């Protein structure tokens, strides 16, 4: 699939078929995450791949009760939980060097974008899920100290073809030369 087509046509998928995802497909998707850029190439991310139904059920229960992705986490063949080692990204010799502090969210997001696009390229669905109880997820997956849960995604064959939610026009968020200055 052509890159721009993948960028434009990827959708958040919240309904999945039970068709299994092969190890080869999974590896291709994780390999895409591996090649994401990161702060000073620190690669602070880690991913926990969950196929076990009981664990997926428990992960689904960490989502807010209003989260529309709960059933997807529970029913897709795989859930992938994105984590990060803290105090690496955005740091130099152990100290944060910008006003942003720890850049782990940024680096993990880049890796997740690679992952979700690669999945889409293989005909698989994902949805970034951030509205969850990270402490509960950390407990379920037995995360060590210093590793934070960032988000999770279901992974599997889509059982829906959602319409694209509308996007702002470029003219609403692209400025030229100075902030707020639009194309004349
Ligand atoms: C950081 C982040 C967190 C998100 N968290 C959730 C979530 O908890 N539950 C959910 O159903 N969708 C979640 N989404 C998906 C967005 O709602 C979705 O990307 C947006 O509506 C645009 O739709 P599209 O992905 O189909 O283009 C999240 C997306 C991002 C980038």
């Amino acid at each position: 699939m052509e890159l721009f087509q993948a960028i434009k046509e990827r959708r958040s998928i919240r309904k999945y078929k039970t068709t299994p995802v092969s190890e080869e497909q999974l590896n291709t998707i994780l390999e895409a995450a591996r090649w994401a850029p990161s702060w000073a190439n620190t690669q602070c991310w880690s991913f926990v791949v969950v196929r076990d139904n009981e664990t997926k059920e428990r992960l689904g229960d960490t989502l807010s009760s209003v989260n529309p992705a709960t059933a997807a986490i529970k029913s897709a063949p795989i859930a992938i939980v994105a984590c990060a080692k803290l105090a690496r990204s955005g740091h130099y010799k152990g100290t944060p060097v910008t006003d942003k502090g720890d850049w782990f969210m940024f680096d993990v997001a880049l890796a997740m974008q690679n992952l979700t696009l690669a999945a889409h390229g293989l005909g698989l669905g994902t949805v970034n899920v951030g509205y969850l109880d990270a402490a509960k997820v950390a407990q379920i997956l037995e995360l060590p100290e210093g590793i934070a849960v960032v988000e999770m995604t279901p992974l599997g064959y889509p059982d829906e073809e959602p319409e694209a939610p509308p996007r702002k026009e470029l003219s609403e968020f692209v400025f030229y030369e100075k902030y707020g200055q639009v194309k004349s």
Side-chain angles (χ1 to χ4, degrees), residues 40-61:
N41 202 25
T42 39
Q43 305 164 68
C44 70
W45 49 67
S46 49
F47 299 93
V48 183
V49 176
V50 177
R51 287 189 189 267
D52 179 70
N53 284 331
E54 197 197 314
T55 311
K56 280 188 288 157
E57 190 73 24
R58 292 175 70 202
L59 290 175
D61 288 337

Side-chain angles (χ1 to χ4, degrees), residues 26-44:
L26 177 64
N27 279 338
T28 303
I29 288 161
L30 294 169
E31 188 71 13
R34 178 177 172 229
W35 286 99
S38 62
W39 181 283
N41 202 25
T42 39
Q43 305 164 68
C44 70

